[in-house]
Amino acid sequence: MNKSSLIKELFANIKTTGAVTFSSKSLVNKMLSFADFEGAKIIVELGGGDGSITRGIINRMDKDAKLLVFEISKPFCENLKKEFPQDNVHIICDSAENMDRYLDGKSADLILSSLPFSLIPKESRNEIYKKTRSHLNQNGYFIQICYSYLLKFQFANHFQSIRTAFTLKNFPPAFIIICN
């Protein structure tokens, strides 16, 4: 799938993508700078999109780590499968609400997300929050890109420690919420 087809998919499904453009390299680098990839064996990405965060994760993760990428858009999933054919990268065309079905009873060391939580129905959003917390290692991190600082308060019901960062080097500017 070429870049123009990806952009068309982005706008055609803005209610599920929640973005007007893909994450900038600067935003991806800043987001991933808060993650400790050394020794992380199970990594989960929520919302694979065009693969910009996926690419950054793969470049940083250990060779024996496993990456599960959740994406609900079939065209995005097909593109991700073509771009990332590695055996340790699993593109899952399913909702993040179902992450427990794919973790085989294990916990993730890192969960990285660009899901548009403000557009996700409350029931589904709360289910994702609960499963994120319950399927994250005790010392693991959940890192979320968002465009509203107010989302921080929704995470407070599920995580004890929450920090935020901000970057202007993205359109639109974005917050990064780091939870554990």
Side-chain angles (χ1 to χ4, degrees), residues 7 14 18 23 25 29 43 51 67 77 84-85 88 98 111 114 116 120 124 129 139-140 144 148 152 156 159 172:
I7 291 170
I14 198 144
S23 299
K25 190 170 190 163
N29 287 336
I43 303 167
L67 174 61
C77 283
F84 307 108
N88 62 338
N98 300 318
I111 299 179
S114 59
I120 296 173
S124 295
Y129 293 156
N139 296 321
Q144 171 72 42
S148 170
K152 174 184 176 180
F159 296 93

Side-chain angles (χ1 to χ4, degrees), residues 90-126:
H90 306 275
I91 307 302
I92 301 164
C93 202
D94 198 357
S95 170
E97 288 177 87
N98 300 318
M99 74 174 79
D100 54 323
R101 296 180 190 170
Y102 301 91
L103 285 167
D104 300 323
K106 297 176 183 162
S107 294
D109 298 299
L110 292 168
I111 299 179
L112 304 146
S113 173
S114 59
L115 290 180
F117 280 113
S118 51
L119 299 177
I120 296 173
K122 188 177 181 178
E123 255 181 49
S124 295
R125 184 174 57 224
N126 285 331

Side-chain angles (χ1 to χ4, degrees), residues 24-126:
S24 69
K25 190 170 190 163
S26 179
L27 174 59
V28 171
N29 287 336
K30 184 151 187 168
M31 174 201 205
L32 298 180
S33 74
F34 295 102
D36 184 5
F37 287 92
E38 189 175 331
K41 298 303 173 206
I42 300 175
I43 303 167
V44 174
E45 181 186 1
L46 307 179
D50 74 326
S52 51
I53 296 171
T54 312
R55 192 173 305 103
I57 294 168
I58 291 169
N59 290 339
R60 289 166 175 81
M61 70 186 207
D62 293 345
K63 298 294 179 212
D64 62 340
K66 178 177 170 181
L67 174 61
L68 305 176
V69 181
F70 288 85
E71 175 55 59
I72 59 171
S73 162
K74 287 187 191 322
F76 282 162
C77 283
E78 292 308 312
N79 185 66
L80 290 166
K81 286 177 183 178
K82 286 178 189 165
E83 189 170 345
F84 307 108
Q86 298 91 324
D87 290 339
N88 62 338
V89 177
H90 306 275
I91 307 302
I92 301 164
C93 202
D94 198 357
S95 170
E97 288 177 87
N98 300 318
M99 74 174 79
D100 54 323
R101 296 180 190 170
Y102 301 91
L103 285 167
D104 300 323
K106 297 176 183 162
S107 294
D109 298 299
L110 292 168
I111 299 179
L112 304 146
S113 173
S114 59
L115 290 180
F117 280 113
S118 51
L119 299 177
I120 296 173
K122 188 177 181 178
E123 255 181 49
S124 295
R125 184 174 57 224
N126 285 331

Side-chain angles (χ1 to χ4, degrees), residues 137-155:
N137 280 337
Q138 187 173 356
N139 296 321
Y141 283 88
F142 169 62
I143 303 172
Q144 171 72 42
I145 290 174
C146 62
Y147 302 101
S148 170
Y149 185 78
L150 297 176
L151 276 177
K152 174 184 176 180
F153 301 106
Q154 291 180 19
F155 298 133

